Amino acid sequence: MAFRKFLPMFDRVLVERLAAETTSKGGIMLPEKAQGKVLQATVVAVGPGSTNQKGKLTPMSVKVGEKVLLPEYGGTKVNLEDKEYFLFRDADILGKYVE
């Protein structure tokens, strides 16, 4: 797995967006332009955290495997072994889904 070879620095989080729905609730196939941007993702790797002004490490708010809600814009696209991932700062993640 590509993310095992990649560790984000500081307060960065590596996520993999969930696949977009290709059919509507009524069963109609949706073209790519009609599909909405997927704002949900799974966390695949996290950095160690950032340091505050006193030099202490601030822990990350998400863990590997959690499902999170992303902002519509932002993040850095990263291609690892023909898969597309995105890097976000921990503070940019809007929330996480609790099961």
Side-chain angles (χ1 to χ4, degrees):
M1 302 188 123
F3 50 87
R4 296 201 187 265
K5 299 176 187 173
F6 183 83
L7 180 66
M9 299 296 291
F10 305 110
D11 64 340
R12 302 287 200 280
V13 179
L14 185 70
V15 298
E16 182 178 10
R17 288 187 190 261
L18 299 179
E21 291 189 31
T22 57
T23 58
S24 69
K25 291 180 182 177
I28 299 171
M29 297 291 287
L30 298 172
E32 283 188 32
K33 288 190 176 187
Q35 295 173 7
K37 191 171 186 180
V38 179
L39 301 179
Q40 297 175 0
T42 303
V43 177
V44 293
V46 295
S50 61
T51 55
N52 60 18
Q53 292 178 347
K54 295 182 180 180
K56 294 191 178 188
L57 191 66
T58 304
M60 300 294 283
S61 60
V62 294
K63 296 180 180 114
V64 174
E66 291 183 326
K67 301 242 185 292
V68 295
L69 180 66
L70 302 173
E72 188 170 354
Y73 299 104
T76 303
K77 187 179 1 176
V78 179
N79 290 319
L80 299 171
E81 294 183 6
D82 298 330
K83 281 188 120 182
E84 192 174 89
Y85 299 96
F86 290 87
L87 270 174
F88 285 90
R89 288 187 181 271
D90 188 38
D92 291 342
I93 294 176
L94 302 177
K96 59 183 175 181
Y97 294 97
V98 180
E99 295 179 8

